[in-house]
Amino acid sequence: MDNEAKVIAAVKNGDETAFKQLYHTYADRVFNTALSIMQHHEEAEDITQEVFVQVFRSIVQFKEESSLFTWIYKITVSKCADAQKKHRSQKRFAFITSLFAPDDSLKHDAPHFEHPGMAIEHKEHNKALFTALKQLAPKQQMAFTLHKIEGLSYQQTAEAMNTTTAAVESLLFRANENLRALLSSYYKNNIQDSASSLMSFLLML
Amino acid sequence: MKKEINHLVEDSLESVKYLNRAQASPFIYGKVMEQLKAIPEPALVGGAMILRWATLLLVLGMVNAVTLRKIASHTKQTASIQQGVNAIAQEYFEFQQENSYNY
């Protein structure tokens, strides 16, 4: 019996120390995944909390057909999908309220996101990437996060997303294509903006 | 300009390689344990679910019983109406025979 199996068996028996060990093994992975998808610190913390509560509650039903690693990612993906759905309905509601009070639109918008793991020399590129990532379809965003950010294999990503490897490959292909298009227009606008501000500055002189 | 944009796009896509994993707050574990102790055990949740399903089945059973009784009484009523119609028809037939005109 390897260590993971021992931990699972102990958690199934309600062993709090074993659960703490399991938590510390996976907490950063769960939090990083939730943070990359939701791009909101508090929401990522809430999701991490919910994931581990469910892990503790449902581990009795865990059949060990897949690894604990992918099972925990599966729960994380499901919790993030639920949170995204909730977000979308809130946005729709915000749109309706903004029709009646146009100034309200700003308070529903999420603040600009900065991933805490950004390296200083790549900060601007990372920020642009996360801005574009947020505009992708939820499934493409999840596949990209699990494979590119979390480093899961195609097979592990497929298991976590409850889909096939071929579907993951297709999602990643489309995610890359869309990210290229979004980043391209982002940088184009940035360059045009800086050029026009430089022109107006020169005209003022 | 296009070349410059393409370069920036590739750099942004590559930047994911230099992203470090964010660390979860040390307070989350405490919150998880708090939540686990505050919310009832799954067995109790399961019990509540069974109770809900049992109530639903009981209500459905009662609705079925009432409907069946209604249908049965309606069938009896229809039969008595049919008997009445037959009696009127019979009476009319006899009346017609008695008052038939032979031209």
Side-chain angles (χ1 to χ4, degrees):
Chain A
M1 207 183 215
D2 64 343
N3 192 43
E4 191 177 273
K6 275 182 193 167
V7 171
I8 295 167
V11 178
K12 278 183 179 177
N13 288 326
D15 185 340
E16 214 172 284
T17 319
F19 178 65
K20 196 172 186 176
Q21 192 187 332
L22 185 148
Y23 171 84
H24 286 297
T25 311
Y26 295 104
D28 288 349
R29 284 178 175 275
V30 171
F31 177 69
N32 193 52
T33 309
L35 185 65
S36 304
I37 293 170
M38 301 311 298
Q39 299 192 14
H40 194 279
H41 205 274
E42 282 75 30
E43 266 182 301
E45 282 194 350
D46 288 348
I47 288 170
T48 309
Q49 194 179 325
E50 282 174 34
V51 167
F52 283 99
V53 166
Q54 194 171 331
V55 165
F56 190 80
R57 292 265 162 80
S58 322
I59 202 153
V60 186
Q61 291 146 30
F62 175 55
K63 302 265 190 312
E64 292 173 58
E65 285 159 359
S66 64
S67 69
L68 182 67
F69 174 83
T70 45
W71 184 65
I72 291 176
Y73 270 111
K74 204 175 196 171
I75 297 173
T76 311
V77 163
S78 145
K79 295 280 176 197
C80 287
D82 289 348
Q84 280 181 323
K85 267 184 211 163
K86 202 174 154 189
H87 240 257
R88 280 198 295 274
S89 63
Q90 275 174 347
K91 267 192 177 175
R92 275 197 291 272
F93 180 71
F95 171 72
I96 294 164
T97 52
S98 68
L99 288 176
F100 299 100
D103 292 344
D104 273 2
S105 59
L106 278 174
K107 74 180 175 190
H108 298 294
D109 292 339
H112 195 73
F113 172 71
E114 272 188 34
H115 192 285
M118 282 177 186
I120 299 166
E121 60 270 33
H122 300 287
K123 207 171 182 174
E124 287 312 310
H125 289 139
N126 274 155
K127 269 163 85 173
L129 180 68
F130 275 102
T131 308
L133 194 59
K134 195 146 200 196
Q135 291 169 62
L136 290 184
K139 280 190 176 178
Q140 289 176 26
Q141 195 190 350
M142 274 179 195
F144 187 90
T145 305
L146 292 174
H147 182 66
K148 297 277 186 183
I149 298 176
E150 275 302 303
L152 267 66
S153 65
Y154 284 127
Q155 180 63 35
Q156 287 169 329
T157 308
E159 277 180 41
M161 291 182 70
N162 218 6
T163 185
T164 60
T165 315
V168 168
E169 280 173 4
S170 156
L171 281 170
L172 283 169
F173 176 77
R174 276 183 284 145
N176 271 319
E177 291 294 297
N178 291 335
L179 280 174
R180 275 203 171 84
L182 287 162
L183 285 166
S184 186
S185 85
Y186 173 85
Y187 283 120
K188 211 175 187 176
N189 288 341
N190 262 16
I191 289 169
Q192 277 169 355
D193 283 352
S194 40
S196 61
S197 51
L198 182 70
M199 277 293 283
S200 54
F201 178 70
L202 289 171
L203 284 170
M204 271 171 70
L205 288 172
Chain B
M1 191 168 118
K2 200 177 176 184
K3 207 175 172 185
E4 192 190 344
I5 288 172
N6 282 344
H7 189 67
L8 286 166
V9 168
E10 290 309 317
D11 280 352
S12 291
L13 289 170
E14 288 288 305
S15 73
V16 80
K17 288 181 184 167
Y18 311 103
L19 193 70
N20 294 311
R21 181 168 282 146
Q23 290 184 331
S25 156
F27 302 109
I28 299 176
Y29 181 73
K31 285 182 188 171
V32 170
M33 293 316 290
E34 219 171 86
Q35 201 178 335
L36 282 170
K37 281 164 189 167
I39 300 170
E41 288 295 302
L44 288 177
V45 175
M49 278 300 285
I50 291 166
L51 193 71
R52 261 183 228 169
W53 277 105
T55 315
L56 184 73
L57 283 173
L58 191 72
V59 169
L60 276 174
M62 281 169 70
V63 168
N64 266 351
V66 169
T67 315
L68 282 171
R69 277 191 66 175
K70 285 261 180 202
I71 289 169
S73 70
H74 180 75
T75 317
K76 272 184 195 169
Q77 218 175 356
T78 316
S80 66
I81 289 167
Q82 191 60 44
Q83 273 178 346
V85 169
N86 286 345
I88 291 165
Q90 183 68 31
E91 220 171 281
Y92 177 72
F93 179 71
E94 280 165 12
F95 171 80
Q96 216 183 15
Q97 274 191 332
E98 279 167 19
N99 299 293
S100 57
Y101 300 100
N102 296 316
Y103 295 104

